Amino acid sequence: MTSVLTPATHRVNFAVGNEHSAKRVVDVLTETFFEGQAAIAAFERPDGRWDVTAHFAETPDQALVRELVADAAGAEIAQTIAFDTVEAKDWVKASLEDLVPVPAGRFIVHGQHDRLRVPLNKIGIEIEAALAFGTGHHGTTRGCLLLLDHVLKAYYPRRVLDLGTGTGVLAIAAAKALHRPVLASDIDPASVRVARENARLNETGNWVQTICATGFSAPQFAEHGPFDLVLANILANPLRQLATPMARHLAPSALVILSGLLTHQAGGVIAAYRARGLVPVRHLRIEGWSSLLLRNTRQD
């Protein structure tokens, strides 16, 4: 992988109390600053608050930023804004230096630099940190891999789906362990390309079929289903919305592994799937995140 020196950026960072406020602030900032001027994102924290971060190529007008945030989230939030500069850095090199192999049951996720450190009795999954979300270091990815390892000790699913595949790490893990085809989908075309490349890198390109699709809209879901095992490491709200269409694509007694949800969100997700005939079997909590194993009890 080629190392690239990322230019210095000017960072704006603050926290708001809920998702609604975070979205409102992001919308206001996005409408004000043209594409290319700023990169703006909001992420939920384990305590339920939301971090909002904006990176500017040029020094931003601090008074304008505070005024916009005050209008969207209140004057108190605006006063907490922190302005700083992120130094130019080779983030690819830095991330690889900190990226140690991550074990999860029989699986171990690693970068290219640790390829020779994978024990012979482990299934290595090579994912580079700079490619996309899902290197195995996040609690949700590791939780999914641990539940997958648990499932495969007593179950041999024939039809497997990785919904919201990201880097493809879960699809690759399933394909390597089962030596069976796995359908991997994502709504983001860039993620689909990354997953396809990672599948090729891990010599599972013939097993992992990657598609760009929203929800269960693509015809490939009907062609490859009904599924005996579904892996979905997404977010709590999309998972709740997908409960009904997912249930329609499950085989009787199918198993479903869900993650991407904070621990306090697990109850709502479980309730949504229980209403569709899926009951919880196992619940892992890692670093404030929950991963769920559910079983389909419907026989139709």
Side-chain angles (χ1 to χ4, degrees):
M1 178 171 48
T2 302
S3 294
V4 177
L5 186 66
T6 302
T9 61
H10 303 274
R11 180 171 57 188
V12 174
N13 188 63
F14 56 95
V16 296
N18 55 61
E19 182 180 5
H20 179 71
S21 296
K23 288 182 176 179
R24 188 164 61 242
V25 169
V26 170
D27 287 343
V28 168
L29 293 177
T30 302
E31 290 173 0
T32 303
F33 298 101
F34 296 110
E35 184 178 356
Q37 286 184 305
I40 304 161
F43 301 95
E44 187 173 9
R45 306 187 326 193
D47 64 2
R49 289 171 61 79
W50 285 70
D51 283 325
V52 179
T53 303
H55 288 268
F56 292 83
E58 305 294 336
T59 305
D61 183 334
Q62 294 191 13
L64 174 59
V65 172
R66 288 193 191 278
E67 180 183 348
L68 293 170
V69 173
D71 289 343
E76 291 185 8
I77 298 296
Q79 292 304 313
T80 67
I81 296 175
F83 296 89
D84 64 356
T85 301
V86 181
E87 66 182 52
K89 189 173 184 179
D90 187 341
W91 288 104
V92 173
K93 180 180 178 182
S95 65
L96 290 178
E97 289 174 350
D98 295 334
L99 189 64
V100 296
V102 176
R106 76 187 66 184
F107 305 106
I108 183 164
V109 185
H110 63 90
Q112 180 182 359
H113 60 299
D114 281 318
R115 185 182 296 169
L116 300 180
R117 295 174 59 185
V118 178
L120 294 177
N121 63 340
K122 297 289 185 180
I123 297 176
I125 305 167
E126 187 172 315
I127 304 290
E128 290 298 350
L131 290 177
F133 174 80
T135 62
H137 289 69
H138 197 274
T140 61
T141 308
R142 186 161 181 264
C144 286
L145 289 171
L146 287 169
L147 288 176
L148 176 61
D149 179 57
H150 170 76
V151 164
L152 298 184
K153 289 177 181 177
Y155 186 55
Y156 187 77
R158 295 177 54 249
R159 297 175 295 273
V160 181
L161 168 65
D162 179 13
L163 188 69
T165 192
T167 60
V169 59
L170 300 179
I172 293 166
K176 281 198 166 190
L178 292 167
H179 301 287
R180 293 198 61 84
V182 177
L183 181 63
S185 72
D186 204 287
I187 63 173
D188 178 27
S191 293
V192 173
R193 290 192 295 270
V194 168
R196 186 178 300 124
E197 175 60 22
N198 279 334
R200 185 200 61 77
L201 176 68
N202 283 271
E203 300 181 347
T204 56
N206 291 334
W207 292 118
V208 177
Q209 179 183 348
T210 53
I211 62 170
C212 187
T214 301
F216 285 85
S217 60
Q220 288 91 335
F221 293 105
E223 294 169 5
H224 288 260
F227 297 100
D228 304 301
L229 174 64
V230 174
L231 306 152
N233 184 11
I234 315 178
L235 291 170
N237 286 336
L239 285 175
R240 284 193 290 266
Q241 295 168 6
L242 287 167
T244 296
M246 186 182 296
R248 296 195 187 111
H249 287 80
L250 295 177
S253 302
L255 294 175
V256 175
I257 295 174
L258 305 178
S259 197
L261 52 148
L262 295 162
T263 298
H264 73 269
Q265 299 171 326
V269 173
I270 290 172
Y273 282 79
R274 190 187 292 274
R276 279 77 176 179
L278 283 88
V279 298
V281 177
R282 204 173 183 90
H283 185 172
L284 293 186
R285 300 169 180 84
I286 301 175
E287 300 168 359
W289 297 88
S290 282
S291 298
L292 306 171
L293 175 61
L294 309 175
R295 176 179 285 110
N296 184 24
T297 59
R298 296 180 61 177
Q299 299 300 311
D300 52 343

